[in-house]
Amino acid sequence: MWAYVVRRLFYAIPVLLGVTLITFLLFNVVGGDPARSMAGKNAKEADLEKIREQYGLDGSLPEQYGQFLKEVVTFDSGRSFRTKQRVGAMIAEGAGPSLALALPAFFVASLLGIALGLFCAYFRGSLADVLVRTASVAAMSISSLAYVILGQYLLAYRWRLFPIYGFEWSLVGTVFLVLPAMIWILLSVGTDVRFYRAVMLEEMRTDYVRTAAAKGLRTRTILFRHVLRNSLIPVITRLVLSIPFLFLGSLLLESFFGIPGLGALTVNAVTNNDWPVLKAVVVIGAMLYVFGVLVSDILYAAVDPRVRLK
Amino acid sequence: MGAPAAAVRKTRPRGWFLAVLARIASWPFSLLLLLLGLVLRAIGSVRLLWTPEGDRPPEGRIRRYVVRSTRYLTGRSRLMPPLVGAVALDDDGKGQWSEMRRRLCRDRVAMACWIGIVLYLYVALLAAFGVIATDPDRGDPNADFRPPTISVVPLELGEHPLGTDFLGREVWKLTVHGAKNALWIGTFSALVACTIGLVLGAVAGYFGKWIDEIIVWLYATLESIPYLLLMLALSFVFQKNLSLRDGYEASFLKQDLHISLGLFTIILAVGLTFWVGVCRIVRAEFIRLRDRDFVLAARSLGIPTHRVIFRHIVPNVFHLVLVSFSLLFMGAIKFEVILSFLGVGMEEGEASWGQMINQAKVELMRADPVWWQIGAATAAMFGLLLCVNLFTDALRDALDPRLRN
């Protein structure tokens, strides 16, 4: 298995190189002169020179790309345009609050999604199934921004059930996370239920399920031992590939509820024209994704004996 | 399928009145398609437009529809004009597409949703041609934040049916023009994504070898960047580059077609981000199909490669692209809101659902909360997305061969 992991890590190299190349092309070539977009339209040439020197933008494009690669490899992405902090430190600081919101919310949402999916697939065509499906389609037809704005306005601002805004690293601080986590769950359960229902339904139509039912196994055994286990592969894919999104948090929720995570960091970077931060977040997101794909491939072999890692 | 299908067609399918309604509703679309056909013919990309003399159905989708609409318009057919694309009741009744259409027409929910989508399209078209909701940008600064005056019983519109916004503009006009922009964004970003995905996926899957490896590397790379970040980076870069911005303002897209920078950015960002999924599906399907007998037969007849790809294989994968198209359509409309909120989408003051929802962030905190903007935009979006969502489900079911009969 270790040989497999090492080989997969080698395969990841061209992809990660591609990510850095695309990010570099986007921000340093297509994006125009970064110094100018930072300093504004009417900046003097001398100021531009100074900014270029400061951020290493005075070299040729291959030189700049080399420098960018060096930054990526050493996890040192220079300094933010706006706050002048080191980007690496900003990202390390942001990961904690993002995870504090994302992990519990993701956990509950996934459990709820899988449970409802299994439920709907088993009772397919019944009133409960129709109701859950209708509700999830309806929930998906509303913009996530509307959920966040209305949720914050009604539950926190108007009815004062939750604090409006804030974050604190303590037990008391968890009250700040309840409302955003609830909105997160509401936002993701709709799509999750539909996905898991389709997966489970696929599995329930197979022959071995009919055989199991015919030989008189209990429904519970069929559902949890047979159907759930055999549908684990798509479930794991979906769960593991959400990992980068957990670290990146939710752009909307974090910026609305004042959680100083990576999502809020990204939003601030966009509004402040702070492209070193944005570049670093893109590259780190891609690394996490590549890592997630590797983990899910290893997990396949763990849950399904038919999968061999070679 | 032969005998049972014939038996089915003799009795009227369930929900036939909705199917008929849907046909009537899409009548002007047949006209538009006819125009499109004439234009295509004029520029020479379609050789044979209609065969008024013979019964031989010309091949290809667009042509066939154009033929039927023409026959209707010239009184050669007593049939109602067919629906464009997905849900025309077919009269020759063979093949997967007519099967799909027949199944869709029997699906009452799908028909109702189709009517809903068509209604949105009409509203958008009428607004685009300045027939309804003219001058959405004209506001009365003295009449800002007026609440809605519409009443249902008795039905009265009042002075400001859905209220006014911070510039005193009518919210109903903004909603209608927002619908227009949303449909533009949905259609064109899905079109961009599907076109890139289809072409690259087809090329990669058909030719294999190094072409395949390059394209796979490209989409593996793009796929590993979380989509929200990629979309954000694309639109960020495009909007913040001052020379690109100026270049766009001077281009014919802005000057002649009046496509705003925000609209163009969103279409570009969503299109360039989401072609990856389409490409992956199309490539896999091409690899499955490229060694089938019908492809070998076509190739051994000496049919040029591009024709083999686009005329012989693409029709067999097109149903997958169709489903992706409607998923992307919905996705794009939702991402417009997020991009506009982040300040890299539609600009402030433009008529867009995203901006209307976004403004509520501040406006709800006023002493008299302004709920009508976010309400109108959310309701309009809800209606459209619900219709597209349910229609996509029905489409997918209708295309699933396992659910036949």
Side-chain angles (χ1 to χ4, degrees):
Chain A
M1 193 188 97
W2 287 109
Y4 175 80
V5 172
V6 170
R7 208 152 33 99
R8 281 297 306 268
L9 284 176
F10 273 110
Y11 282 149
I13 291 176
V15 168
L16 286 178
L17 270 180
V19 170
T20 54
L21 188 64
I22 285 174
T23 324
F24 178 77
L25 285 178
L26 261 182
F27 284 96
N28 290 41
V29 182
V30 186
D33 188 354
R36 186 169 285 281
S37 61
M38 181 187 169
K41 216 170 184 170
N42 306 314
K44 289 195 193 84
E45 200 52 39
D47 294 339
L48 291 179
E49 282 304 317
K50 220 171 98 188
I51 294 171
R52 282 194 193 116
E53 199 178 331
Q54 199 177 348
Y55 289 93
L57 298 170
D58 40 4
S60 66
L61 283 179
E63 270 172 38
Q64 288 185 36
Y65 180 60
Q67 202 201 343
F68 176 52
L69 269 187
K70 203 178 108 199
E71 287 173 1
V72 170
V73 173
T74 55
F75 285 102
D76 175 22
S77 323
R79 287 176 187 278
S80 150
F81 276 176
R82 196 61 45 159
T83 61
K84 310 294 178 204
Q85 274 175 294
R86 298 213 79 85
V87 176
M90 289 168 79
I91 286 175
E93 253 170 57
S98 276
L99 283 180
L101 166 64
L103 270 186
F106 175 69
F107 187 71
V108 175
S110 304
L111 270 189
L112 204 62
I114 294 175
L116 277 176
L118 196 59
F119 175 84
C120 287
Y122 183 68
F123 293 104
R124 57 184 175 277
S126 72
L127 183 65
D129 176 34
V130 173
L131 279 182
V132 171
R133 272 161 60 206
T134 317
S136 67
V137 172
M140 280 163 67
S141 305
I142 296 175
S143 163
S144 44
L145 188 63
Y147 277 111
V148 178
I149 291 180
L150 289 175
Q152 189 181 35
Y153 171 71
L154 287 177
L155 294 171
Y157 183 82
R158 197 71 181 275
W159 299 331
R160 307 201 177 275
L161 298 174
F162 300 97
I164 296 176
Y165 189 89
F167 183 79
E168 201 182 306
W169 270 121
S170 67
L171 205 58
V172 191
T174 48
V175 292
F176 289 117
L177 297 177
V178 177
L179 183 57
M182 275 168 52
I183 296 178
W184 177 308
I185 294 166
L186 196 67
L187 278 174
S188 51
V189 153
T191 35
D192 277 4
V193 168
R194 281 162 59 89
F195 175 78
Y196 292 128
R197 180 182 178 277
V199 168
M200 310 279 178
L201 206 56
E202 188 93 343
E203 210 54 50
M204 278 189 191
R205 288 208 189 106
T206 52
D207 290 338
Y208 74 86
V209 171
R210 199 192 312 131
T211 313
K215 74 177 184 188
L217 281 187
R218 278 177 306 177
T219 316
R220 203 173 28 166
T221 323
I222 299 178
L223 282 186
F224 292 99
R225 289 277 287 279
H226 293 264
V227 174
L228 194 58
R229 258 202 89 172
N230 276 295
S231 51
L232 270 182
I233 286 212
V235 173
I236 285 180
T237 315
R238 191 178 174 89
L239 292 183
V240 175
L241 294 188
S242 327
I243 288 179
F245 297 94
L246 297 189
F247 277 92
L248 297 172
S250 162
L251 302 181
L252 295 181
L253 284 170
E254 285 184 10
S255 58
F256 268 89
F257 288 95
I259 297 162
L262 292 180
L265 190 74
T266 315
V267 173
N268 287 339
V270 172
T271 40
N272 292 336
N273 251 350
D274 200 353
W275 60 261
V277 176
L278 208 52
K279 239 160 98 173
V281 171
V282 170
V283 173
I284 285 179
M287 283 179 173
L288 285 169
Y289 183 88
V290 171
F291 179 70
V293 173
L294 179 62
V295 170
S296 65
D297 279 354
I298 295 170
L299 279 179
Y300 289 164
V303 299
D304 191 339
R306 285 168 301 185
V307 178
R308 293 265 161 74
L309 301 180
K310 274 182 272 174
Chain B
M1 281 315 298
V8 165
R9 248 175 294 130
K10 273 181 190 156
T11 55
R12 276 185 173 147
R14 271 193 315 149
W16 60 272
F17 56 96
L18 276 176
V20 171
L21 255 183
R23 284 176 147 218
I24 297 171
S26 17
W27 188 80
F29 276 105
S30 301
L31 261 183
L32 278 179
L33 212 66
L34 176 65
L35 283 177
L36 177 77
L38 289 173
V39 172
L40 282 178
R41 188 192 179 216
I43 58 178
S45 64
V46 174
R47 267 177 293 130
L48 187 82
L49 260 178
W50 61 76
T51 52
E53 67 287 341
D55 283 317
R56 186 176 63 91
E59 0 161 5
R61 285 294 124 187
I62 287 183
R63 287 184 210 181
R64 200 138 117 197
Y65 290 138
V66 172
V67 168
R68 285 207 220 120
S69 329
T70 328
R71 283 193 183 150
Y72 176 78
L73 292 173
T74 52
R76 252 183 269 265
S77 164
R78 278 177 317 253
L79 284 170
M80 293 296 287
L83 274 188
V84 177
V87 287
L89 276 172
D90 202 65
D91 28 311
D92 48 64
K94 288 197 189 80
Q96 86 185 101
W97 294 102
S98 48
E99 169 74 17
M100 178 195 81
R101 264 173 265 143
R102 193 160 49 238
R103 282 204 259 171
L104 273 182
C105 286
R106 259 183 269 164
D107 189 338
R108 265 176 283 191
V109 178
M111 282 296 104
C113 290
W114 177 252
I115 293 174
I117 298 170
V118 169
L119 286 181
Y120 269 92
L121 283 170
Y122 282 158
V123 169
L125 279 178
L126 289 178
F129 290 116
V131 181
I132 55 169
T134 43
D135 281 337
D137 295 331
R138 191 195 295 154
D140 177 6
N142 299 320
D144 59 339
F145 295 131
R146 292 286 160 83
T149 53
I150 193 166
S151 81
V152 183
V153 188
L155 189 65
E156 271 169 14
L157 286 179
E159 202 180 349
H160 308 290
L162 293 181
T164 60
D165 77 340
F166 69 107
L167 292 173
R169 299 180 297 180
E170 293 286 344
V171 169
W172 75 271
K173 288 185 180 175
L174 291 177
T175 314
V176 165
H177 282 264
K180 183 193 75 184
N181 287 335
L183 287 171
W184 266 92
I185 288 168
T187 311
F188 283 94
S189 24
L191 211 59
V192 169
C194 284
T195 312
I196 301 178
L198 183 65
V199 171
L200 288 187
V203 167
Y206 187 78
F207 293 109
K209 296 186 192 138
W210 60 271
I211 300 183
D212 186 38
E213 291 198 0
I214 290 179
I215 292 175
V216 169
W217 171 78
L218 188 65
Y219 81 62
T221 301
L222 284 180
E223 200 175 42
S224 58
I225 303 174
Y227 61 85
L228 205 54
L229 285 180
L230 181 60
M231 211 163 54
L232 200 57
L234 281 169
S235 40
F236 175 81
V237 157
F238 192 72
Q239 291 222 332
K240 304 290 170 173
N241 184 340
L242 299 174
S243 52
L244 266 183
R245 240 188 130 101
D246 293 343
Y248 183 79
E249 296 294 329
S251 73
F252 78 100
L253 286 170
K254 173 78 187 181
Q255 295 299 327
D256 301 336
L257 298 177
H258 304 291
I259 301 168
S260 73
L261 179 71
L263 201 70
F264 184 73
T265 314
I266 296 168
I267 290 172
L268 206 68
V270 176
L272 291 183
T273 305
F274 290 99
W275 64 267
V276 173
V278 186
C279 181
R280 176 186 278 280
I281 299 172
V282 171
R283 174 179 168 270
E285 202 62 14
F286 256 76
I287 289 176
R288 203 171 67 83
L289 291 175
R290 71 175 169 208
D291 294 324
R292 290 284 181 85
D293 289 344
F294 73 93
V295 180
L296 291 178
R299 276 164 59 186
S300 54
L301 283 173
I303 294 171
T305 311
H306 64 91
R307 224 178 136 77
V308 174
I309 294 180
F310 288 103
R311 298 302 295 273
H312 292 257
I313 313 184
V314 164
N316 286 297
V317 301
F318 202 72
H319 62 285
L320 298 169
V321 181
L322 202 64
V323 172
S324 303
F325 182 91
S326 52
L327 290 175
L328 286 170
F329 180 88
M330 286 187 281
I333 293 175
K334 285 168 104 174
F335 288 129
E336 183 263 324
V337 179
I338 294 181
L339 290 178
S340 300
F341 160 73
L342 292 170
V344 287
M346 302 292 274
E347 275 155 27
E348 213 159 320
E350 269 185 286
S352 96
W353 292 343
Q355 282 298 343
M356 289 169 77
I357 295 175
N358 189 17
Q359 278 158 19
K361 184 177 62 181
V362 193
E363 291 173 356
L364 279 175
M365 306 295 168
R366 289 165 58 93
D368 330 293
V370 180
W371 49 267
W372 42 92
Q373 276 222 75
I374 187 172
T378 305
M381 200 167 144
F382 181 77
L384 179 62
L385 290 186
L386 193 70
C387 286
V388 180
N389 220 324
L390 293 174
F391 189 76
T392 310
D393 279 0
L395 189 68
R396 202 183 284 160
D397 286 348
L399 286 167
D400 190 347
R402 282 171 305 176
L403 296 179
R404 215 156 262 188
N405 299 323

